[in-house]
Amino acid sequence: MSKHNTDTHSSDETMQLGEKLASLLKPGDVLTLEGDLGAGKTTFTKGLARGLGVKRTVNSPTFTIVKEYEGRLPLYHMDVYRLENSDEDIGFDEYFHGEGITVVEWATFIEDFLPTERLNVKISYQEGDSRVIEFTSNSYHYESIVNELLS
Ligand SMILES: Nc1ncnc2c1ncn2[C@@H]1O[C@H](COP(=O)(O)OP(=O)(O)OP(=O)(O)O)[C@@H](O)[C@H]1O
Ligand SMILES: [Mg+2]
């Protein structure tokens, strides 16, 4: 398990980080996003989507749990906030083992369903529009992505 962090000072900067990360991802990669309400999980995902060449606008999928977008690779954007205290399996494995990139907001609420290999992104509030973005990787694959991202 290794952790690396960086900070951003605007939503644009957070989107740019997501966009750069997108260029490093491979089919089947899974990102789990942690952070308080309004920390910037969806903002980060919007940047990621831009980096994947998604043309449609990415919005918070709170009411649908998962939305799929077409891009260079498909993007599966989940927000599992509503699944807190639920053990419902909405067919997570098809996404996690699919050909696209899966991004899960509030991933801690579906801990039992998550694949063991994943890249966790934790966004924390700082003063004003600043955020600390901490990447935790638990495999060589994700570790090299983070090293490249932050270099
Ligand atoms: N550095 C920053 N990074 C990301 N967002 C920022 C930053 N500074 C300000 N913001 C603003 O914070 C808000 C983040 O909202 P966003 O919907 O991305 O959060 P979220 O973590 O997805 O929330 P939720 O838990 O409700 O899904 C946006 O209004 C964005 O413009
Ligand atoms: Mg959100």
Side-chain angles (χ1 to χ4, degrees), residues 7-16 43 129-131 133:
D7 37 29
T8 67
H9 307 92
S10 66
S11 54
D12 272 356
E13 230 185 293
T14 296
M15 276 194 259
Q16 279 158 23
T43 302
D129 283 351
S130 297
R131 303 287 191 271
I133 306 193

Side-chain angles (χ1 to χ4, degrees), residues 87-147:
D87 55 9
E88 188 185 349
D89 183 350
I90 60 158
F92 293 114
D93 271 354
E94 278 188 46
Y95 296 103
F96 297 148
H97 298 134
E99 286 299 293
I101 304 298
T102 309
V103 176
V104 191
E105 297 194 32
W106 295 102
T108 52
F109 293 168
I110 58 160
E111 190 71 46
D112 292 348
F113 298 107
L114 296 173
T116 42
E117 270 194 30
R118 63 215 194 217
L119 175 59
N120 190 65
V121 182
K122 183 176 172 186
I123 307 179
S124 314
Y125 282 101
Q126 302 294 111
E127 191 104 325
D129 283 351
S130 297
R131 303 287 191 271
V132 171
I133 306 193
E134 181 184 69
F135 296 92
T136 307
S137 53
N138 61 358
S139 70
Y140 176 78
H141 171 63
Y142 291 118
E143 175 67 9
S144 49
I145 286 174
V146 174
N147 285 335

